[in-house]
Every structure is written in C-alpha cells, then in structure tokens.
Amino acid sequence: MKPNFSLRLRVFNLNCWDIPYVSKHRADRVKRLGDFLNMESFDLALLEEVWSEQDFQYLSQKLLPTYPAAHYFRSGIIGSGLCVFSKHPIQEFAQHIYTLNGYPYMIHHGDWFCGKAVGLLVLHLSGLVLNAYVTHLHAEYSRQKDIYLAHRVTQAWELAQFIHHTSKKADVVLLCGDLNLHPKDLGCRLLKEWTGLRDAYLETRDFKGAEEGCTMVPENCYVNQQELEPFPLGIRIDYVLYKAVPGFYISCKTLRTTTGHDPHSGSPLSDHEALMATLCVRHSPPQHTASPPCGPTECSPLTSVLREAWAELDLGMTHAHWWANLAGYVVGLGLLLLALLCALVAGGEFREVAILLWTPSVGLILGAGAVYLFHLKEVKALCRAQAELQHVLRRAREAQDPGPESQPSLFLGQQEGDRVEEQ
Amino acid sequence: MKPNFSLRLRVFNLNCWDIPYVSKHRADRVKRLGDFLNMESFDLALLEEVWSEQDFQYLSQKLLPTYPAAHYFRSGIIGSGLCVFSKHPIQEFAQHIYTLNGYPYMIHHGDWFCGKAVGLLVLHLSGLVLNAYVTHLHAEYSRQKDIYLAHRVTQAWELAQFIHHTSKKADVVLLCGDLNLHPKDLGCRLLKEWTGLRDAYLETRDFKGAEEGCTMVPENCYVNQQELEPFPLGIRIDYVLYKAVPGFYISCKTLRTTTGHDPHSGSPLSDHEALMATLCVRHSPPQHTASPPCGPTECSPLTSVLREAWAELDLGMTHAHWWANLAGYVVGLGLLLLALLCALVAGGEFREVAILLWTPSVGLILGAGAVYLFHLKEVKALCRAQAELQHVLRRAREAQDPGPESQPSLFLGQQEGDRVEEQ
C-alpha cells in the first residue's frame, strides 16, 4: 500500500419498501431503482425490505454488468429483506439473525415472520479489508407505547456485538441500514458507543438532501402522513455509519439524500429516502488518528448507556414474565376446564355441550402453552443480553479498581445470579 | 512476550447429562464434579448439558475460589446447556444460536426446545489472545435413518463460520464440546477442513483413556447399551480441537479420558466420558510453523467436503419442501372442510355434527399452518447455508482461474439463482 494511499467509496442505501401485495407501484419502483443504480455505478448498494426474491433476481440480472457481485440474506419465513450489490468481488459473507424480533401472534405487524438480521460482507479493496454490514431492526409502530422497545434495544446490542466480534481484523467498518431508531434513541447511542461507529450525517461537511437528514419525510407520497404528524420535518431512521482502525482515517466527503422524490424528481423510489455517501479512506496523519472505540473505563457515556440499556431490558423482562405467567394461568384454567368436561361426559350430564367444548379447551391449552413457551424464550434472550451488558460494565469496574484485594468481589460479580448488583 | 515464551493450558470438557427429572443421580454427580474440578484446578472447564441453572449456580459457588470467572450461555426455552468455569478472567463472551435445531413437534427428542448454540470466551493469557469455544450439536437418534443429518451439517457449518469470523485476531483457538459427530462424519470433516482445527486425540503422543478415545463407552453404567451395540468399543463424539496462528505452535502434551467410571474409579460423572487435555503453546520455530487453514484452491479435501455438504443440504431441502407441501395440502383440505361445515350449518342439515367438527378443523388448519411455516423457515436456513458453501467453492474456482475472460461467468456464478451449477 502506498503512503499516499487514498480510497474513494461510493455507497448507496435504501429501504426499498418492496413488500409483495402491499407496496404500491412495486414493479415500477424496482425497475427505476435498477436504472438509477446502473447509471450511478456505486461501489456498494445496500438494500433493505426487498421481501420479494423475484425482485432480487430481477435486480441481479439488470445490475450484472455494473455490480457483478450480489447476495441476498435469507432468514426467517419471509426473509430478512436484506440484499447487496457490489462492484467489487465479495470475499466472504455471514449473517446474524436477531434472537428477539417481535411476537408471532402480532401477525398484523409481521416483523416476527421476517427474521430480521444483520448481513456482513468482507471486501478487499486496494489491500484494505472492508467489513460492510447491512441491517434492518424491528419497526416502531407506536412511539408513545412501544411494546417492542426491549426487543429493538436487544437487537441494537446484538448488532453492536456482531460488529465488535467479526470486525477485529477489518481496516474499515461500514454499517448501513434502517435502524428504526431516531439519532438520540437508546439503541442508536448504545450501538455507536460500543462500536465507535460515526454517523455520516453528523460528520460530513457537504450534505444535501432532506432537512435535518430525515429519511422519512412528509413530502414523500408513500409515507403515512398521520404517523409523521408529531415530526413536521420527518424522521431520521436510516443511517450510514463508519469507522477505521488507527493508521487509517475515514471521512464522509459528501452525503446526499433524496427528498421525497426519486433522484430525478419523479415519483419516489420508496417510502424511505435513499442515502448516497462518498467516503474517503486514507492513511492517517498523526493529528487525524481515528480514535478507536473508547474502553468503558474512561468513557462515562458508554457506561451510562450500558446501564440505561440494562434497565430497559429489565423492564422488558418484567413484561415477558407477566405474559408468561398469564399464559401459564390460562393453561392451568384450560386443564381444569378439560377435567370438568371429562367429568361431565363421564357423568352423562350436558354430554353434547361438554363434547362441544372439549376441542376449544384443548385449543386454548395448546395456544396458551405456545405463548408461555415463547415468552420463556424471550426471558432467556433478554437475560442473555443483560448478562453481556453487565459483563462489559464489570470489566469497566475491574479496570478502574484492579487492586488485588478488590479482585474476589469483582470476580464474584463476574459470576451469574447477582443481577441486583447493577440495579 | 519473551522469545522463549511457553504457555501450559489444562482444559476439561464434559457433557454432564444434567437434565432435571430425567438424569439419574444428578445431585450426587454434580457435587462430585465440583469436587473433582476444585481438586484438579484446570485453567478452563467447559461443560455441556447443564440444563439446570440451579446446578450451574451451585457449581459457581462451589468453584468460586478455584475458578473465579464463570458464565452460563442462555438460549432457547430450556437453555443451551453450555457453561464455562475459568481460572482466568474472561475478557469477552458471545454466542451464536444455531438456525436449525430439529423440529418443535418432535417433543420426545427435545433438541428444538434447548436452543443449541456455540459459546465464545475471549481470554488474555500472558499477552496471548485465546478464543475458546464450547458447543453441543443436535443429537443423533438413529444412525441408519438420521432425519436430523441436514440440521447437524448446517450446525457444523455455522459453527465453522462462527469460529472463522470471530477468531480473526485470536492467537490460539480452542473448541471443546459434544459434536454428536463421529470423527469421519461429514460435519466433523467440514468443521476441521474449513477452520483448520486439529484433533487433540489424533495429535497427542500421550493418550490414556478409553480405547480409541471413545467418549461414550459400554462400560459406563448410564449409557444405553442397546444404542452402542453396533460399536463394541463405544463412540467418539466429544472433542478437544485447537489451532494457533503462524508464529505460535500449539500441541497436546497429554490427553486423558475417563473410562466409564469417575476419575477415581467411582460411579461415572455422566453418561459421557470427560476429556482432560494439557495443551502447550509456544513460539513457533520455522520447522514447526502451524499451517494456517489451507485456502480452498490448493486443498482438494476442503473442496470435496464442501461439495458433499452442499449435496447433503440439498437432500435436506427436498425433505423440507416435501413437508411444507404436505402441510400446505392439509391446510387446503382443512379450509375445504371448514367451508363444507359452514354450508351444512347454514343449510340446517347435520347441524350438531357440523358444529362439533368446526373446532377440530380450525385446529387442523392452524396446526398444519404452523408446520408449513416452520418448514418454509427450514428451507430458507438450508438455502442460506448452501449459498455460503457455494460462495466458498466459487472463490476457489475464481482463484484457480483468475483470467479476465473468465470473470463474467464467474461473477455470474457469484449471484444467486443458479444452484444447479454446483450439482
């Protein structure tokens, strides 16, 4: 690698709103997206909500001359909706499916069926290892009463951990996607603090696009205007985030977003706005050394956000326990009802009614049993994320007070079963 | 780190057969295991099938003076059963829950409810980064007609990928666990070829224990003798595997297994045998340079095992499609039945019978619908693993034939939808 090495990387990100039978003007929008991507010839195009594999195949064929490498991340029942088109060969890919992703019985929300995930691509560009991640977190259906908050925070933590553990040999890390998180939301802060990723919108000096970088704007004809009422300018939930290891410096030269229309002022490509970033990677002069993600010791923002996340997951745990208990009681009642019905049948009284009620009560037991098991699983997943958060906090305390006499209690803390300690 | 640096690592691995209400003499065995671990003072004790968190808590307390760091990997509904006790501080941990892990309707097998996983611990020992993994793959209930083979191969691949992507900065990698794979089984070969891990039993010059290193032996009174009938000496399904990066050399100085009794010839600690390895890590003299996992180009064993795995997953896919189709037909029949029943009720004929059958037919539709969705998810997961295997194979072809004229077709191959190419 030459000392005056410099790499320019043009990146495109869009939540495509490509949902069969639901999204308006799907075929036309996918066609125009393909035309636009071909014309612009980005290095990487990272897409979310491509929930039709046929549309991915169509785009693959259409983009083949410009983007010879492509990958669709399969997961869940419907699919993660994530896919990527690259001008450069993809060396490796991997994915992580989030442990928590809504509830199967919330069919009208549908997130559970998608298997939301994070996809990883490893590219080698001019001798540099680039780890590019694409993700889509659980949707926020109500900001006032967000029953999925604990799930989204857990997803943000799993995303941060996946990046942390898989990018240890990467020179540059890039994360694009629809986080369904506003910039100051807990999940977004947790992700940025733990990974050290920086926000292209906040970093760039050359931004053109929707006001305040919003990626869902009222000007977009596909957006549900009612949902955006509390936010007259719109909301910013889609991101381009990046970082480089010490020795390299990465900056966002330009950032563009669409503004409720397609890039040529036609009808929009999606209900979200597209992000188009030009990133520049070069050797880091001493004054520009990209700071590595700061360890927990010296960074109180990290410690504080970890504690906040821990508390949020604790609320989620209370909620999950409540549902598991309720479902457990229903199973118990169902069993009692079943026993009563059997007694009635045996006794010959109300025989027809008893037989009639027998099947619904079995259904009740099975249904409530499934809900019970699901929420037990939710408790386990929240508990796991809490243990990981707690571990990071403990390592911070150990680093702050490494005296030998304090070690036994610290190590005690490292073991499980003393959750109260963090409260 | 000094040039004459040398690190001795004593490792213990055991599938503990700690299943509440099922396993015999559980409390006694857990107590004796704790006593033994305390007495031996290993560097790391990696345990599987600890399916009682109370037992983990008990061991944590008992082992606290000798193993100050401990962690239980929570997942699924019951838990992964994986836990670890370490003499050294655990810097970081993470886990990956396998995407495929049996079928929820196979309640008597129970694997689905456990959320089988791989756990990762990062330790810093004398300036060396050690990534220690512990895992437990899906059980093999019938070797002749193994309906879980595709799932276990997928798990082996996910395990290999998890190690591959998370150990890039590790100096030494250690994997212990119950793989439920015989040494020459496809999953075992796939794991070893793709990660470059070496088998302590095959590498050590000082082995003492059960014949042929078996870890389930007929001498063990807890073992189902009928299951071991085809294998008079027993089977080897628990492993200690390791590797080091170039610059370091790791070897297995001694490997011991129990032989159907506890280490002091009392009644066994579990239905599996314990593995006790003494590993030695030192700077690598040129003649001993640990070879990194060989790239796919030059290694035909890797290429061949990748192809074999791809074909096995294809069989699994056919199976999953068959079940999804069957369940789909049942849903269709259930809907027809429901319509017929509604017509009968409306017409007033056989009203009571129709009402009686209404609920079971709704139950049939819901049940078959759940099975349909489950197998759709299975198809997606198998398809994802196939795509990853195919990608590695393609990279091998590209590396073998990098001529510019061959690139378009190679890149075409990199895109999805041309699965037949690999058949």
Side-chain angles (χ1 to χ4, degrees), chain A residues 22 26 69 108 112 116 158-159 186 210 217 245-246 253 260 276 283 297 299 304 310-311 321 342 371 404 412:
Chain A
V22 172
R26 215 181 97 221
H108 57 300
W112 186 84
K116 295 271 176 84
E158 285 188 17
L159 169 60
L186 172 59
V217 296
V245 291
K253 288 292 164 201
M276 289 158 281
H283 275 296
T297 320
C299 295
S304 123
W310 196 94
H321 271 300
C342 289
V371 172
L412 178 67

Side-chain angles (χ1 to χ4, degrees), chain B residues 9-26:
Chain B
L9 202 64
R10 291 184 63 235
V11 178
F12 176 90
N13 178 76
L14 178 66
N15 174 322
C16 295
W17 192 46
D18 179 8
I19 316 171
Y21 314 114
V22 172
S23 310
K24 287 179 194 164
H25 315 134
R26 217 180 95 220

Side-chain angles (χ1 to χ4, degrees), chain A residues 53 56-57 59-61 63-64 67-72 74-80 85 87-97 99 112-113 120 122 131 161 164-169 194 352 355-356 359-360 373-374 376-381 383-384 387-388 391 395 398 407-408 411-412 414-417, chain B residues 53 56-57 59-61 63-64 67-72 74-80 85 87-97 99 112-113 120 122 131 161 164-169 194 352 355-356 359-360 373-374 376-381 383-384 387-388 391 395 398 407-408 411-412 414-417:
Chain A
E53 268 200 59
F56 168 74
Q57 296 297 349
L59 281 172
S60 292
Q61 290 307 314
L63 301 180
L64 189 59
Y67 303 84
H71 184 65
Y72 188 80
R74 289 180 186 87
S75 81
I77 292 160
I78 300 171
S80 69
F85 298 94
K87 202 192 273 185
H88 314 280
I90 299 169
Q91 299 298 320
E92 298 181 345
F93 51 78
Q95 76 186 62
H96 168 78
I97 301 169
T99 317
W112 186 84
F113 295 88
L120 157 65
V122 181
N131 273 27
Q161 282 279 79
H164 177 77
H165 286 285
T166 57
S167 68
K168 290 190 175 176
K169 230 179 173 177
W194 183 229
E352 287 75 20
I355 292 175
L356 203 65
T359 325
L373 293 179
F374 182 84
L376 274 195
K377 203 175 163 187
E378 187 186 14
V379 167
K380 281 265 192 297
C383 207
R384 165 200 163 184
E388 290 181 9
H391 183 80
R395 298 295 308 164
E398 283 180 25
Q407 294 247 343
F411 281 136
L412 178 67
Q414 192 157 351
Q415 296 205 348
E416 306 303 298
Chain B
E53 268 198 61
F56 168 75
Q57 297 297 348
L59 282 173
S60 294
Q61 290 307 315
L63 302 179
L64 190 59
Y67 303 84
H71 185 65
Y72 188 79
R74 289 180 185 87
S75 81
I77 292 160
I78 300 171
S80 69
F85 299 94
K87 203 192 272 185
H88 314 279
I90 300 169
Q91 298 299 320
E92 297 182 345
F93 51 79
Q95 77 187 62
H96 168 78
I97 301 169
T99 318
W112 187 83
F113 295 88
L120 157 65
V122 182
N131 273 26
Q161 283 278 79
H164 176 77
H165 286 286
T166 56
S167 68
K168 291 190 175 176
K169 232 180 171 175
W194 184 228
E352 287 75 20
I355 291 175
L356 204 64
T359 327
L373 292 180
F374 182 83
L376 273 195
K377 203 175 161 187
E378 187 186 14
V379 167
K380 280 265 190 300
C383 206
R384 164 201 163 183
E388 291 182 8
H391 183 79
R395 298 296 307 163
E398 283 180 25
Q407 294 247 342
F411 281 135
L412 178 66
Q414 190 157 354
Q415 295 205 348
E416 306 301 301

Side-chain angles (χ1 to χ4, degrees), chain A residues 63-284:
Chain A
L63 301 180
L64 189 59
T66 328
Y67 303 84
H71 184 65
Y72 188 80
F73 293 96
R74 289 180 186 87
S75 81
I77 292 160
I78 300 171
S80 69
L82 307 172
C83 64
V84 66
F85 298 94
S86 169
K87 202 192 273 185
H88 314 280
I90 299 169
Q91 299 298 320
E92 298 181 345
F93 51 78
Q95 76 186 62
H96 168 78
I97 301 169
Y98 297 121
T99 317
L100 288 177
N101 188 34
Y103 305 101
Y105 49 77
M106 300 296 270
I107 298 171
H108 57 300
H109 285 166
D111 292 64
W112 186 84
F113 295 88
C114 301
K116 295 271 176 84
V118 46
L120 157 65
L121 309 166
V122 181
L123 306 180
H124 292 175
L125 302 174
S126 317
L128 215 139
V129 178
L130 168 70
N131 273 27
Y133 298 85
V134 57
T135 197
H136 186 189
L137 305 192
H138 196 293
E140 186 185 68
Y141 295 98
S142 160
R143 202 156 172 83
Q144 283 68 45
K145 200 185 170 190
D146 183 7
I147 57 166
Y148 302 111
L149 183 56
H151 285 211
R152 209 177 306 100
V153 172
T154 309
Q155 290 186 343
W157 175 247
E158 285 188 17
L159 169 60
Q161 282 279 79
F162 184 70
I163 294 172
H164 177 77
H165 286 285
T166 57
S167 68
K168 290 190 175 176
K169 230 179 173 177
D171 299 308
V172 175
V173 174
L174 174 71
L175 166 63
C176 293
D178 173 2
L179 301 185
N180 274 311
L181 293 165
H182 296 218
K184 291 191 175 165
D185 282 359
L186 172 59
C188 198
R189 286 180 287 125
L190 180 67
L191 170 70
K192 284 157 75 177
E193 288 294 336
W194 183 229
T195 58
L197 287 166
R198 282 143 55 210
D199 186 338
Y201 172 71
L202 301 177
E203 299 281 327
T204 189
R205 288 182 187 173
D206 181 359
F207 172 76
K208 281 199 189 90
E211 265 189 273
E212 295 191 4
C214 290
T215 58
M216 284 196 93
V217 296
E219 291 79 14
N220 188 309
C221 61
Y222 296 132
V223 164
N224 182 336
Q225 301 297 329
Q226 215 176 348
E227 280 176 18
L228 280 192
E229 251 171 28
F231 308 98
L233 293 177
I235 55 177
R236 187 158 83 88
I237 57 174
D238 302 81
Y239 295 83
V240 172
L241 303 164
Y242 54 74
K243 69 170 180 180
V245 291
F248 289 103
Y249 176 70
I250 180 165
S251 59
C252 180
K253 288 292 164 201
T254 67
L255 181 67
R256 304 280 177 264
T257 74
T258 51
T259 53
H261 316 284
D262 92 347
H264 303 120
S265 301
S267 67
L269 289 173
S270 168
D271 60 346
H272 285 240
E273 302 309 312
L275 289 161
M276 289 158 281
T278 305
L279 306 174
C280 182
V281 186
R282 55 187 166 81
H283 275 296
S284 165

Side-chain angles (χ1 to χ4, degrees), chain A residues 249-408:
Chain A
Y249 176 70
I250 180 165
S251 59
C252 180
K253 288 292 164 201
T254 67
L255 181 67
R256 304 280 177 264
T257 74
T258 51
T259 53
H261 316 284
D262 92 347
H264 303 120
S265 301
S267 67
L269 289 173
S270 168
D271 60 346
H272 285 240
E273 302 309 312
L275 289 161
M276 289 158 281
T278 305
L279 306 174
C280 182
V281 186
R282 55 187 166 81
H283 275 296
S284 165
Q287 69 272 26
H288 280 137
T289 299
S291 57
C294 42
T297 320
E298 70 277 12
C299 295
S300 69
L302 175 61
T303 309
S304 123
V305 79
L306 286 169
R307 284 182 188 278
E308 206 179 322
W310 196 94
E312 194 54 59
L313 298 197
D314 216 44
L315 285 178
M317 192 103 85
T318 310
H319 187 255
H321 271 300
W322 189 88
W323 275 101
N325 288 339
L326 179 70
Y329 289 131
V330 173
V331 169
L333 281 175
L335 286 170
L336 272 178
L337 178 65
L338 207 62
L340 182 71
L341 293 175
C342 289
L344 286 177
V345 169
E349 299 164 79
F350 311 109
R351 199 181 172 92
E352 287 75 20
V353 179
I355 292 175
L356 203 65
L357 287 176
W358 199 84
T359 325
S361 64
V362 168
L364 184 75
I365 292 166
L366 291 178
V371 172
Y372 175 75
L373 293 179
F374 182 84
H375 285 288
L376 274 195
K377 203 175 163 187
E378 187 186 14
V379 167
K380 281 265 192 297
L382 289 168
C383 207
R384 165 200 163 184
Q386 275 197 319
E388 290 181 9
L389 290 166
Q390 199 170 359
H391 183 80
V392 177
L393 279 163
R394 276 202 200 96
R395 298 295 308 164
R397 278 213 301 276
E398 283 180 25
Q400 276 171 332
D401 184 13
E405 63 289 343
S406 68
Q407 294 247 343

